[in-house]
Amino acid sequence: MGAELVYGCMGLGGAWSDAALTAEDVDAAEQAIHAALEIGITAFDQADIYRQGKSEAAMGQVLDRDPGLRDRIRIQTKCGIRLGEAGLAAHYDLSAAAILERVRGSLERLRTDHVDVLLLHRPDPLLEPAEIAAAFTELNDAGLVRAFGVSNMSAAQLAFLRTEIEQPLIVNQLEMSLYKRDWLESGILVNQPAALAYSFPEGTLEYCRTHAIRLQAWGSLAQGSTPGAPRTSPPRPIGRPRRWSRRWPGTRTRRPRRSCWAG
């Protein structure tokens, strides 16, 4: 199971901010992209909802400034989440029509004729694998998307998708950090009382290894909780946090709250 360095190019002052895109934002994005290239990072992660689409738009403007840049990088973007559109509450939407619409919007903002990898951002409980397969085939045949993957999905959800999708799923992007280890701990603590503290579905790691699906991390610095990483915005909790967790034998530390700040 391979690994790669991926730069998350979604910040621009806050992934969920609705502030207008400025020339300073584009300058900052350009500097960040070239700094990443200097240390060997050539894959860049986006999503249609980051900064309400303005993150993709900033990257598109950077690509316009340097026409040769697109050939030197790989662009990955995500779709599947709708944030309060047409007066509706935020919801997941992996219908074929939604996937096609969102990808075309991403391509327009990115000012490119294709994305290298498209990820399904979150599991949609109403998803139909046959619909997703049809959308993937159309995008792939048209040359708009070269490869596909998912984000935040378990082994069972991956297997469900693969009943219809012909293209290989090459990536599963999960929240992974020193503080977020459920994807690993739920498997290695089988038949131990400590496993009760972890709720991530077992078998995801093994499924990804079996089917050559790369694991890719989001939130790898735990939104600034990792020592030495400055926090730019506080994590937003989901549900009740676990109060304590063991980091090293014989020590106890407060566990940071779970967050949907990114990914």
Side-chain angles (χ1 to χ4, degrees), residues 134-145 148 166-167:
F136 280 9
T137 297
E138 182 172 338
L139 292 168
N140 194 232
D141 288 350
L144 302 180
V145 178
F148 301 90
E166 295 181 0
Q167 295 82 8

Side-chain angles (χ1 to χ4, degrees), residues 234-263:
R236 296 185 293 179
I238 298 178
R240 178 179 297 175
R242 289 190 294 272
R243 184 172 179 81
W244 298 101
S245 66
R246 291 188 179 277
R247 290 182 60 196
W248 303 106
T251 66
R252 290 167 67 84
T253 59
R254 185 178 297 277
R255 186 180 184 87
R257 295 179 294 182
R258 298 185 65 179
S259 164
C260 62
W261 184 81

Side-chain angles (χ1 to χ4, degrees), residues 175-183 185 198 219-222 225-227 245-248 253 255-256:
E175 185 181 6
M176 297 188 288
S177 71
L178 292 175
Y179 294 125
K180 180 64 178 178
R181 308 184 308 272
D182 299 51
W183 59 277
E185 301 285 10
Y198 296 94
S220 55
L221 296 180
S225 297
T226 303
S245 66
R246 291 188 179 277
R247 290 182 60 196
W248 303 106
T253 59
R255 186 180 184 87

Side-chain angles (χ1 to χ4, degrees), residues 59-71:
M59 190 167 202
Q61 292 188 42
V62 174
L63 293 176
D64 260 4
R65 293 179 177 181
D66 183 356
L69 178 61
R70 182 66 183 93
D71 294 333

Side-chain angles (χ1 to χ4, degrees), residues 4-63:
E4 63 181 335
L5 291 173
V6 177
Y7 182 81
C9 192
M10 79 292 186
L12 298 178
W16 312 124
S17 168
D18 60 359
L21 185 64
T22 67
E24 289 75 16
D25 289 331
V26 179
D27 290 342
E30 184 175 29
Q31 292 171 13
I33 290 169
H34 285 287
L37 289 171
E38 287 177 6
I39 60 173
I41 297 175
T42 58
F44 294 84
D45 180 67
Q46 289 278 357
D48 59 354
I49 61 170
Y50 291 160
R51 190 80 179 265
Q52 309 291 322
K54 299 181 187 70
S55 179
E56 290 180 328
M59 190 167 202
Q61 292 188 42
V62 174
L63 293 176

Side-chain angles (χ1 to χ4, degrees), residues 205-251:
L205 174 61
E206 292 79 6
Y207 185 92
C208 289
R209 294 187 65 182
T210 299
H211 296 282
I213 300 172
R214 296 194 304 272
L215 288 184
Q216 193 181 90
W218 69 263
S220 55
L221 296 180
Q223 289 77 66
S225 297
T226 303
R231 171 173 285 167
T232 56
S233 62
R236 296 185 293 179
I238 298 178
R240 178 179 297 175
R242 289 190 294 272
R243 184 172 179 81
W244 298 101
S245 66
R246 291 188 179 277
R247 290 182 60 196
W248 303 106
T251 66

